[in-house]
Amino acid sequence: MNRIQNKLSENKKILSIYFTAGFPNLNDTKSLIENLVLNSVDMIEIGLPFSDPLADGPTIQASSTQALKNGMTTTILFEQLKNIRTTVDIPLIIMGYFNPMLQFGIENFLQQCQETGIDGLIIPDLPLEIYLSEYKELFESHGIAMIFLITPQTSEERIRLIDANSDAFIYMVSSASVTGSRDSFDENQLAYFERIAAMNLKNPQIIGFGISNKTTFEQAVKHQKGAIIGSSFIQFISKNGTDRIQNFIRNIL
Amino acid sequence: MNSTYNVNEKGFYGDFGGAFIPEMLYPNVEKLREQYLSITAEQSFQDEFKALLKDYVGRPTPLYYAKRLSEQFNAKIYLKREDLCHTGAHKINNTIGQILLAKRLGKTRIIAETGAGQHGVATATVCALMGLQCIVYMGEVDIERQAPNVARMKMLGAEVRPASSGSKTLKDATNEAIRDWISNPEDTFYIIGSVVGPHPYPDMVARFQSVISEEIKSQLLQKENRENPDYVIACVGGGSNAAGAFYHFLDEENVKLIAVEAAGKGIDSGESAATSVLGKIGIIHGSKTLLMQTNDGQITEPYSISAGLDYPGVGPMHANLYQTQRAEFIAITDDDAMRAGIELAQTEGIIPAIETAHAFAVLKHKKFEPNDVVVINLSGRGDKDLNTYTNYFKL
């Protein structure tokens, strides 16, 4: 059982936090992760910044642009994470777009993930079909879980296919949108959460996009295993810096 | 016969192409992939498409024998007059096709990206024609340098939304259009303006533009008693006019294809848009292609004096034509393009778009035989560029 499966088998709802590596400052990565762990966060998504993040709204776009200005690169990220497993044992996931990984070399990237102790990857623009035909074996041989997105528009057949080819969790995008925060979910979204829960998938589901506060977190974890918060966390650290994270987490849990 | 240079059943041209898209776009792109060939093959579609190209766009566009230019360069030079299309460029061939497709798919809201504004105008035009809502994303920098086209879009009833991220040009306008499509998956159709984006867009756009080379063939037969020229020359940003001009010659290996990219201030100046030379294989806007990027895989900002050529990628068909050496790629600087533009104006009485002027600059770089038949795709007219020409030449 890997770290993600272990964590998801615990009898509790999961709070996962996303942040963009290199933001607000280039070298915040390690202390941010340790700080999140201290504040009882269950899982962390480390965003590898990209110049053209198609699936992201203005908040994550701006943090990516700033991170790149600060000098963040794939190589630097792996250096920063080098000894992270001496202090941190919760699941760590890298979320990034495919092109920077392609330039780093996919095998090299997976190798670095394995050595660093990264558990899984979320790559929004690497589609299922290409993953299955070209990369699945490579991911598996490095022990790296690939995490796929589904949306309210994803067909049942495709969700079953994704479920069959996942072994960590399924990332449920809460609505047809790019990343960004909202105050509450509407009826359609709640019905979608319920519909997916009723499919009895083998993988637990974690909801992301639009989670920003206690209300949206609780709506999300009513039927699903957990929720991911990104944009509103980034807004918080932009405004308050990285040393008052407890205030943010206290407002969610 | 299987074409080496056309798209395969998986959406690839050799190593290039595919659909590297977020799951949010999958249902729309997949539906389009399943249906674009069958819908466009329907008789009713073909009838409507051809009628509009004829009576609304003004096709066939002339294949004009440029006598003075031919004398100057000692070859038989023909100009394919796409500049005479309604709205002033070849772009409308594609927007007519895509809007007919969008209607058949039941879509009511149209989005588009635009660089020079030609595709935006062509999209706004067909939306007005069909009575559909139209939103055009355009980089803030381009809005500034292509003001006449912004005004045209507004007059046609379109909403022009500025893209203010990144370099604030075509790449960023495309990002914004894709984000809009992610957020509006049910009612919206994305009319992409070039042979870029996820499969099936590159193939679909190439097919709609292929009318250009189809006409060249029949027109040459009448004028020269042969279907195939010795050369076809076209400028390439994303590459839609070149794709259309090359399409029916791709497998005619005796036809030399020349793709002309924008060198900007020079290939090594750091301010260029010559993707074939400066790019490495990568992924942009859902397509695996040659891409200008840093070693770390961040997409870099291209530069050209022409807003229609400063795209950091190139369509996957062209990436494959480059890699297989089926086409010769030549990069032309701003200065050479501007000179070629004013020379065409004063030799043949035709003011070309600055994008198109790049293609004419090639004439000075190539040696032709006196009987060589050379077709240059005159992809657009220069009205939109008068300010740039005026400032450059202090007219």
Side-chain angles (χ1 to χ4, degrees):
Chain A
M1 216 188 251
N2 62 37
R3 263 185 293 260
I4 301 175
Q5 289 165 334
N6 253 327
K7 175 57 78 178
L8 296 180
S9 66
E10 289 175 17
N11 185 24
K12 64 171 294 207
K13 296 297 183 180
I14 299 295
L15 170 63
S16 181
I17 294 284
Y18 167 96
F19 72 91
T20 305
F23 178 84
N25 304 299
L26 178 63
N27 292 314
D28 285 341
T29 311
K30 195 157 179 243
S31 60
L32 248 176
I33 292 172
E34 289 168 352
N35 209 338
L36 286 167
V37 173
L38 282 179
N39 283 285
S40 339
V41 166
D42 299 295
M43 190 158 74
I44 296 171
E45 282 175 47
I46 304 159
L48 178 65
F50 182 47
S51 55
D52 294 75
L54 287 182
D56 285 302
T59 302
I60 293 180
Q61 282 175 49
S63 69
S64 302
T65 304
Q66 186 59 48
L68 293 173
K69 271 191 194 144
N70 292 344
M72 183 48 86
T73 65
T74 309
T75 307
I76 290 175
L77 177 61
F78 282 124
E79 275 166 24
Q80 291 174 342
L81 294 174
K82 204 166 183 182
N83 296 311
I84 196 75
R85 284 303 175 198
T86 57
T87 50
V88 172
D89 62 3
I90 65 169
L92 297 175
I93 292 164
I94 289 181
M95 178 162 184
Y97 290 82
F98 195 43
N99 196 52
M101 299 177 193
L102 206 57
Q103 300 314 315
F104 195 80
I106 299 301
E107 187 150 15
N108 191 15
F109 192 88
L110 292 169
Q111 182 72 32
Q112 294 284 322
C113 284
Q114 189 175 23
E115 285 171 16
T116 309
I118 296 296
D119 303 294
L121 292 177
I122 302 171
I123 312 171
D125 58 346
L126 175 59
L128 175 68
E129 290 69 23
I130 292 175
Y131 169 77
L132 292 180
S133 63
E134 293 181 36
Y135 299 111
K136 187 171 196 268
E137 282 175 28
L138 210 53
F139 273 61
E140 285 174 354
S141 69
H142 289 85
I144 305 295
M146 176 71 177
I147 293 143
F148 291 103
L149 274 53
I150 64 169
T151 79
Q153 279 74 33
T154 310
S155 69
E156 175 166 347
E157 186 190 1
R158 191 166 170 81
I159 294 173
R160 299 262 177 226
L161 184 64
I162 285 170
D163 190 39
N165 286 288
S166 302
D167 53 11
F169 64 90
I170 292 175
Y171 190 132
M172 275 177 65
V173 176
S174 66
S175 65
S177 76
V178 292
T179 55
S181 30
R182 59 173 70 221
D183 292 332
S184 70
F185 291 121
D186 64 26
E187 271 173 40
N188 289 335
Q189 290 170 296
L190 298 177
Y192 156 63
F193 300 164
E194 213 164 323
R195 170 166 65 86
I196 302 301
M199 285 180 73
N200 290 316
L201 301 172
K202 81 174 162 88
N203 288 281
Q205 306 99 53
I206 298 189
I207 298 180
F209 290 37
I211 319 278
S212 66
N213 53 24
K214 202 176 184 65
T215 310
T216 42
F217 180 78
E218 283 177 355
Q219 284 176 317
V221 300
K222 187 172 175 211
H223 297 289
Q224 267 72 31
K225 182 69 186 172
I228 301 164
I229 301 182
S231 297
S232 78
F233 179 70
I234 285 171
Q235 280 161 1
F236 181 87
I237 58 175
S238 309
K239 215 182 287 170
N240 304 289
T242 53
D243 47 9
R244 289 196 213 144
I245 289 174
Q246 69 271 24
N247 296 348
F248 181 83
I249 304 293
R250 208 180 297 140
N251 281 329
I252 306 290
L253 295 178
Chain B
M1 194 182 78
N2 268 339
S3 161
T4 326
Y5 304 109
N6 249 313
V7 76
N8 69 20
E9 69 283 358
K10 289 189 166 165
F12 279 83
Y13 298 83
D15 295 336
F16 305 103
F20 293 81
I21 47 168
E23 189 62 31
M24 295 80 116
L25 290 177
Y26 179 84
N28 266 320
V29 172
E30 180 61 11
K31 191 169 176 198
L32 194 59
R33 189 190 67 78
E34 280 170 4
Q35 299 191 7
Y36 82 109
L37 291 176
S38 59
I39 292 178
T40 53
E42 284 168 14
Q43 194 58 47
S44 67
F45 183 97
Q46 282 297 322
D47 291 348
E48 201 176 352
F49 183 51
K50 284 181 179 154
L52 283 169
L53 288 185
K54 179 168 179 283
D55 298 329
Y56 188 71
V57 175
R59 303 205 73 92
T61 58
L63 185 69
Y64 163 69
Y65 176 66
K67 189 160 171 285
R68 296 190 65 205
L69 209 59
S70 296
E71 283 164 8
Q72 191 184 338
F73 292 101
N74 202 25
K76 290 181 171 176
I77 299 174
Y78 284 90
L79 310 184
K80 182 58 175 163
R81 297 293 308 274
E82 294 300 297
D83 61 316
L84 296 178
C85 287
H86 178 43
T87 73
H90 70 290
K91 291 287 185 188
I92 196 159
N93 302 328
N94 168 49
T95 59
I96 296 255
Q98 286 199 51
I99 201 139
L100 294 178
L101 195 53
K103 274 182 66 183
R104 280 163 173 77
L105 290 168
K107 304 291 185 175
T108 54
R109 178 178 177 272
I110 301 295
I111 57 171
E113 84 297 335
T114 197
Q118 289 303 109
H119 174 59
V121 168
T123 305
T125 298
V126 297
C127 287
L129 181 67
M130 299 293 166
L132 296 180
Q133 186 191 357
C134 181
I135 294 154
V136 179
Y137 289 90
M138 187 169 187
E140 274 180 356
V141 169
D142 291 336
I143 286 179
E144 198 120 315
R145 59 179 169 174
Q146 302 288 341
N149 273 344
V150 177
R152 290 164 83 195
M153 286 185 269
K154 287 181 177 167
M155 188 158 175
L156 290 160
E159 181 192 340
V160 180
R161 290 193 187 163
S164 54
S165 58
S167 57
K168 306 179 176 61
T169 61
L170 179 56
K171 152 179 100 76
D172 312 285
T174 309
N175 289 343
E176 289 307 323
I178 291 175
R179 289 180 186 121
D180 181 310
W181 206 20
I182 286 174
S183 305
N184 297 284
E186 307 283 354
D187 61 347
T188 298
F189 188 90
Y190 179 17
I191 298 190
I192 296 184
S194 193
V195 286
V196 302
H199 178 67
Y201 276 98
D203 182 49
M204 181 171 72
V205 176
R207 283 166 183 266
F208 289 143
Q209 292 294 0
S210 70
V211 65
I212 299 172
S213 47
E214 190 184 315
E215 288 176 6
I216 292 173
K217 271 185 176 268
S218 61
Q219 289 166 325
L220 266 188
L221 192 61
Q222 283 192 348
K223 290 174 192 284
E224 292 285 338
N225 203 24
R226 55 189 275 195
E227 280 195 324
N228 292 348
D230 296 295
Y231 291 88
V232 181
I233 304 175
C235 66
V236 173
S240 70
N241 93 74
F246 294 169
Y247 196 85
H248 289 286
F249 302 116
L250 286 172
D251 291 316
E252 309 278 359
E253 302 266 1
N254 56 340
V255 181
K256 298 179 194 74
L257 308 176
I258 299 180
V260 187
E261 292 182 306
K265 295 182 178 167
I267 296 281
D268 301 319
S269 66
E271 292 184 80
S272 178
T275 307
S276 66
V277 191
L278 298 171
K280 284 181 298 180
I281 195 163
I283 289 165
I284 182 170
H285 300 139
S287 181
K288 188 184 259 190
T289 188
L290 292 171
L291 171 62
M292 290 169 59
Q293 54 184 314
T294 66
N295 289 335
D296 200 44
Q298 308 298 338
I299 299 174
T300 53
E301 318 290 4
Y303 164 82
S304 163
I305 195 167
S306 64
L309 299 183
D310 64 352
Y311 184 66
V314 64
M317 173 203 274
H318 296 298
N320 188 49
L321 293 178
Y322 176 76
Q323 184 165 284
T324 58
Q325 299 184 352
R326 171 66 187 94
E328 180 184 1
F329 280 65
I330 296 177
I332 294 294
T333 61
D334 288 356
D335 291 338
D336 283 354
M338 294 302 279
R339 263 196 300 276
I342 203 162
E343 281 168 17
L344 181 67
Q346 295 176 1
T347 313
E348 294 289 346
I350 298 169
I351 300 174
I354 297 173
E355 290 78 10
T356 312
H358 285 73
F360 283 86
V362 161
L363 291 172
K364 288 185 186 162
H365 290 253
K366 292 296 289 186
K367 274 271 167 277
F368 302 105
E369 301 296 323
N371 283 326
D372 277 350
V373 173
V374 178
V375 176
I376 302 178
N377 197 29
L378 215 176
S379 56
R381 61 179 176 241
D383 307 33
K384 70 183 175 59
D385 295 316
L386 281 186
N387 262 338
T388 314
Y389 278 127
T390 308
N391 293 337
Y392 186 89
F393 291 110
K394 315 236 176 332
L395 298 172

